[in-house]
């Protein structure tokens, strides 16, 4: 492997992967290296630019914590997250569409009964959320686990408040025997993704805005059904057509209905796809 040049180094690296035991790992690495090297040749990447990219990725890792995943955020704003979701969640017509996971899911969300207030003190206008979980034939799915999380009226998730000791606007509940569920929370609002890290630097450098349209996150699990990770977006939001992370699907847009008492209601039904 002496005297390698810009034309021969790629094959030399690929040849060293010939003994990789895992065929899937081998395929991914070979294609990644090939495309990465071809990209560097295509743009005539300089040493200074490579170092800048390495420092950017280093800073991205340093920004990650148990409450924030900057690499997920980076994947989101580059459209890679939504591309992967779209490729891996092809479902029959009528099933609820999947969308991006986002960087603010955390383990250990509190468990609630139906009808409970999962806002738990989060600021915002009151909202009652109701719906059902069913299969493609309209059969109710009892005992489905619904995990919900959202930002408050300030556009922040609970984990973004360093001094907050309890979870807010986040919880887990199960569908009733008839597949129905309901909980109280606060009205979803549009908010900017965090811009105090490398992802924010990237958005500013490219002239992009950081805003996401108002939405609720849902992750729904049920035996013998595919896990659904999705959002429900608020109809009429100004950022529906320019979501910073490309996650909007028209079938996931719903109306928040204003009530005479000043609160809101949201009704949305989820349709799960069988696991097989």
């Amino acid at each position: 492997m002496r005297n390698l040049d810009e034309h021969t180094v790629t094959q030399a690296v690929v040849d060293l992967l010939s003994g990789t035991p895992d065929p899937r790992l081998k395929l991914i690495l070979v294609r990644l290296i090939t495309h990465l090297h071809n990209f560097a040749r295509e743009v005539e990447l300089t040493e200074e630019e490579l170092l800048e990219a390495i420092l950017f990725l280093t800073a991205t890792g340093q920004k990650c914590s148990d409450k924030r995943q900057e690499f997920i955020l980076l994947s989101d704003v580059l459209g890679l997250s939504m591309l992967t979701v779209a490729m891996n969640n092809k479902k029959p017509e009528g099933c609820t569409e999947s969308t991006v996971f986002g960087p603010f899911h955390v383990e250990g969300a509190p468990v609630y009964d139906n009808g409970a207030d999962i806002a738990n003190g989060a600021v915002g206008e009151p909202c009652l959320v109701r719906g059902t979980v069913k299969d493609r034939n309209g059969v109710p799915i009892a005992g489905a686990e619904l995990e919900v999380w959202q930002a408050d009226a300030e556009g922040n998730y609970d984990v973004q408040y360093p001094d907050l000791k309890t979870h807010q606007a986040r919880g887990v509940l199960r569908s009733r025997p008839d597949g129905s569920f309901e909980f109280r929370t606060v009205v979803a609002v549009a908010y900017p993704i965090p811009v105090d890290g490398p992802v924010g630097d990237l958005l500013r450098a490219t002239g992009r805005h950081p805003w996401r349209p108002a939405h609720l996150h849902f992750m729904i699990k049920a035996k013998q059904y595919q896990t659904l990770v999705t959002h429900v977006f608020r109809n009429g939001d100004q950022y529906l057509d320019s979501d910073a992370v490309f996650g909007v699907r028209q079938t996931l847009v719903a109306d928040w209905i204003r009530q005479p008492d000043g609160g809101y209601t949201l009704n949305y039904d989820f349709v799960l796809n069988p696991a097989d």
Side-chain angles (χ1 to χ4, degrees):
M1 293 193 295
R2 300 184 184 185
N3 301 322
L4 295 174
D5 60 25
E6 63 182 280
H7 304 292
T8 59
V9 64
T10 303
Q11 190 59 50
V13 178
V14 168
D15 288 345
L16 289 178
L17 300 173
S18 61
T20 305
D22 186 332
R24 178 64 180 173
L25 176 61
K26 179 181 178 181
L27 172 65
I28 291 173
L29 288 176
V30 167
R31 299 314 301 158
L32 173 63
I33 290 166
T34 301
H35 287 299
L36 191 59
H37 284 213
N38 286 339
F39 160 77
R41 280 188 282 264
E42 179 182 351
V43 302
E44 298 183 341
L45 191 69
T46 69
E47 293 174 81
E48 291 78 11
E49 290 165 341
L50 176 59
L51 177 59
E52 192 68 26
I54 290 170
L55 293 176
F56 176 84
L57 293 175
T58 301
T60 300
Q62 291 169 338
K63 197 66 177 178
C64 295
S65 70
D66 61 338
K67 295 181 178 180
R68 173 167 169 179
Q69 235 301 349
E70 191 79 358
F71 272 111
I72 290 180
L73 201 61
L74 176 59
S75 176
D76 288 349
V77 302
L78 293 177
L80 181 60
S81 297
M82 196 59 233
L83 170 61
T84 307
V85 167
M87 290 191 300
N88 287 275
N89 290 275
K90 298 172 184 176
K91 301 173 185 176
E93 186 175 354
C95 290
T96 303
E97 293 188 88
S98 300
T99 190
V100 293
F101 195 56
F104 291 114
H105 174 267
V106 297
E107 299 293 337
V111 176
Y112 291 98
D113 293 328
N114 274 283
D117 178 15
I118 74 167
N120 195 28
V123 294
E125 297 181 274
C127 181
L128 175 64
V129 180
R130 295 179 295 203
T132 60
V133 182
K134 52 191 176 182
D135 68 12
R136 286 158 42 197
N137 298 314
V139 177
I141 300 176
E145 179 186 280
L146 296 96
E147 185 166 359
V148 187
W149 65 104
Q150 68 169 105
D152 62 15
E154 300 296 326
N156 295 318
Y157 290 82
D158 53 2
V159 294
Q160 292 178 275
Y161 294 107
D163 299 325
L164 190 63
K165 304 301 182 184
T166 184
H167 286 302
Q168 293 182 336
R170 183 188 301 274
V172 179
L173 63 154
R174 290 189 177 274
S175 60
R176 300 183 179 110
D178 64 354
S180 67
F181 66 89
E182 66 176 286
F183 58 90
R184 289 177 289 130
T185 184
V186 293
V187 173
V189 300
Y191 64 85
I193 61 174
V195 294
D196 59 339
V199 171
D201 294 338
L202 177 63
L203 292 180
R204 285 185 287 271
T206 54
R208 290 176 53 187
H209 75 69
W211 287 86
R212 297 218 63 204
H215 62 274
L216 297 180
H217 291 264
F218 285 88
M219 180 162 62
I220 305 177
K221 300 177 181 179
K223 291 182 179 179
Q224 300 180 334
Y225 292 90
Q226 294 176 358
T227 295
L228 172 66
V229 175
T230 194
H231 300 2
V232 178
F233 294 93
R234 187 176 178 182
N235 195 17
D237 191 285
Q238 64 177 314
Y239 297 108
L240 286 173
D241 294 314
S242 61
D243 181 10
V245 306
F246 312 99
V248 178
R249 296 293 178 268
Q250 183 57 42
T251 59
L252 303 177
V253 178
D255 293 314
W256 268 246
I257 307 298
R258 184 86 178 188
Q259 300 300 309
D261 63 1
Y264 286 80
T265 59
L266 166 65
N267 292 278
Y268 195 86
D269 298 330
F270 296 95
V271 180
L272 303 188
N273 196 40
D276 58 355

